[in-house]
Amino acid sequence: MKITTRLCSGLFAGALALVIGMTDAGADPTTTPTPSSPGTTSAPASGDQQQQQLASSITPGLKNQSAKPIVDTDPGSHASDTVGTGPQMSAFLAAFGYSLANPDAAPPGTNDWSCKPTADQPRPVVLVHGTWANAYDSFAFMSKPIKDAGFCGFTFNYGRSNLLQGGGVGSALPGAYGTGDIPTSAKQLATFVDRVLSATGAQQVDIIGWSQGGSMANWYTKYEGGAAKVKNLITYGATHHGTTLLGIATLGRAINNFGIDVLGPISLIVGKSGIQQTIGSDFVTKLNANGDTVSGITYTIVGTRYDEVTTPHDSTFLKAGPGATVNNITLQDGCEIDLSDHLTMMYSPRALSIALKALDPAKNPTLACQPNPWLIGGGGRL
């Protein structure tokens, strides 16, 4: 989830990145967008129609398929496929700038629907973006190394909801998705995971989720049938136990307890999914009602001390329940020079190495440690 941070840093980021042409030291200038699938979505369908549309959207053996839009699950929120492929980036600011002009681009190395898992890498990896974000600007750094490590990577854009639908003012920015009702977004994830499993022939997936993408994926495993379909859940700055939004949400909920509704007006700014991710919300309460975890899943939960959105940062950590394994990691433990905040942790070489180790510890046993500054990322280079 990202609220005021994206408004402030995002506008600056977009302007700066657009000025420099978005082909900086962090980008591969030889990569150009290629046609993929439409970013529009059809009208809500019945259960039988959804199954037919889902089946029709899967074309095994076709790279960058002309896929059907992902089925709507609610008139106030929908999900869609990516369109084309953007360049790899090493810095958040550059990736955000690129996504302003290409809000539906796929991060490099993802959505090759001809990709088949191997005996060494038997599970495809589903990448799930955060609030006010999209598939590209969330994973433009991590996606290609994951592909290069032998994994089939897939991603999509979920929770597309405009201001009139309750998405908040941030939804006016191009590519600011993940603003709709989170349980509805979890249904969209369920549809997408089933599609990936059908296309690849795999039995399970691994999920990497950032911010809301982590807590939404957690909801999917608990309430949308995902428990048996997920082996590894890897999250970064996820709002598993909610956030104080730097104390604003905590104060607002305290005032609400006196009968004065202040969270309602705030939701007009941060959107429905923003309010749902605050500490004490109905969403957070139900998410953890029966414990933090579900049996059979291995959790790798990463937080950063400099997180200004998921606060306090250790609220992201989980407690293992029966049959689950949890590895809670503070990004700076063993690497104090990594100053990643909520935005730039997805552009941290250490964060990437944690994901690769969780996906295949035998081949990726060593964690990287490199400088990664607050807000900018990319080792301080645009």
Side-chain angles (χ1 to χ4, degrees):
M1 183 182 109
K2 19 186 173 171
I3 307 298
T4 55
T5 302
R6 185 172 174 99
L7 279 179
C8 297
S9 65
L11 292 175
F12 168 73
L16 182 59
L18 287 172
V19 167
I20 63 174
M22 296 171 293
T23 52
D24 53 29
D28 177 2
T30 64
T31 308
T32 57
T34 56
S36 179
S37 54
T40 56
T41 306
S42 59
S46 67
D48 289 343
Q49 289 174 323
Q50 287 183 356
Q51 292 299 320
Q52 180 58 45
Q53 290 177 23
L54 178 60
S56 299
S57 72
I58 301 166
T59 310
L62 180 61
K63 183 175 182 179
N64 288 330
Q65 59 176 338
S66 180
K68 303 289 185 182
I70 298 170
V71 178
D72 279 351
T73 51
D74 185 273
S77 173
H78 68 276
S80 64
D81 287 308
T82 56
V83 181
T85 300
Q88 185 177 17
M89 298 284 186
S90 64
F92 165 74
L93 288 182
F96 177 77
Y98 184 91
S99 74
L100 287 177
N102 304 274
D104 291 312
T110 63
N111 294 345
D112 177 357
W113 293 91
S114 67
C115 187
K116 298 297 181 183
T118 64
D120 288 340
Q121 319 292 1
R123 293 178 301 276
V125 179
V126 175
L127 309 175
V128 188
H129 67 74
T131 311
W132 292 15
N134 54 69
Y136 179 78
D137 65 18
S138 296
F139 294 102
F141 172 65
M142 287 192 176
S143 59
K144 189 174 185 299
I146 289 172
K147 172 71 172 181
D148 291 344
F151 296 94
C152 299
F154 298 92
T155 190
F156 71 120
N157 290 313
Y158 71 86
R160 302 181 68 139
S161 181
N162 61 34
L163 179 59
L164 295 178
Q165 296 168 325
V169 296
S171 62
L173 285 173
Y177 308 138
T179 59
D181 175 67
I182 300 176
T184 298
S185 294
K187 295 180 185 296
Q188 296 164 1
L189 175 60
T191 297
F192 188 76
V193 168
D194 286 348
R195 178 179 171 189
V196 169
L197 292 176
S198 179
T200 61
Q203 299 300 308
Q204 290 182 302
V205 300
D206 293 330
I207 292 179
I208 299 177
W210 174 39
S211 197
Q212 181 198 152
S215 54
M216 186 269 276
N218 200 2
W219 182 281
Y220 160 66
T221 65
K222 294 180 176 181
Y223 298 110
E224 294 299 334
K229 300 175 183 178
V230 177
K231 175 57 181 173
N232 286 290
L233 178 58
I234 305 163
T235 70
Y236 295 87
T239 50
H240 294 301
H241 294 110
T243 174
T244 68
L245 296 180
L246 293 176
I248 296 173
T250 299
L251 176 62
R253 203 165 297 283
I255 295 174
N256 272 30
N257 290 339
F258 286 100
I260 304 173
D261 181 15
V262 295
L263 290 182
I266 291 174
S267 69
L268 296 176
I269 300 174
V270 302
K272 187 169 188 177
S273 68
I275 291 297
Q276 286 177 321
Q277 292 173 83
T278 60
I279 291 174
S281 71
D282 291 343
F283 168 78
V284 170
T285 299
K286 184 174 180 180
L287 178 63
N288 301 294
N290 298 310
D292 289 355
T293 62
V294 298
S295 179
I297 295 179
T298 298
Y299 299 81
T300 301
I301 312 299
V302 184
T304 173
R305 292 178 192 155
Y306 305 103
D307 200 320
E308 68 281 80
V309 176
T310 300
T311 54
H313 86 275
D314 56 2
S315 66
T316 193
F317 295 150
L318 301 181
K319 181 179 180 180
T325 301
V326 174
N327 184 19
N328 291 317
I329 302 171
T330 297
L331 198 60
Q332 288 75 31
D333 285 352
C335 188
E336 294 293 340
I337 60 175
D338 191 324
L339 304 181
S340 301
D341 68 340
H342 191 76
L343 299 175
T344 58
M345 69 188 307
M346 300 309 290
Y347 289 78
S348 160
R350 188 169 185 81
L352 170 62
S353 67
I354 290 171
L356 292 174
K357 183 175 181 179
L359 293 171
D360 189 346
K363 291 185 178 180
N364 305 283
T366 304
L367 298 184
C369 182
Q370 298 177 29
N372 197 55
W374 181 87
L375 182 60
I376 297 173
R381 296 177 297 108
L382 289 177

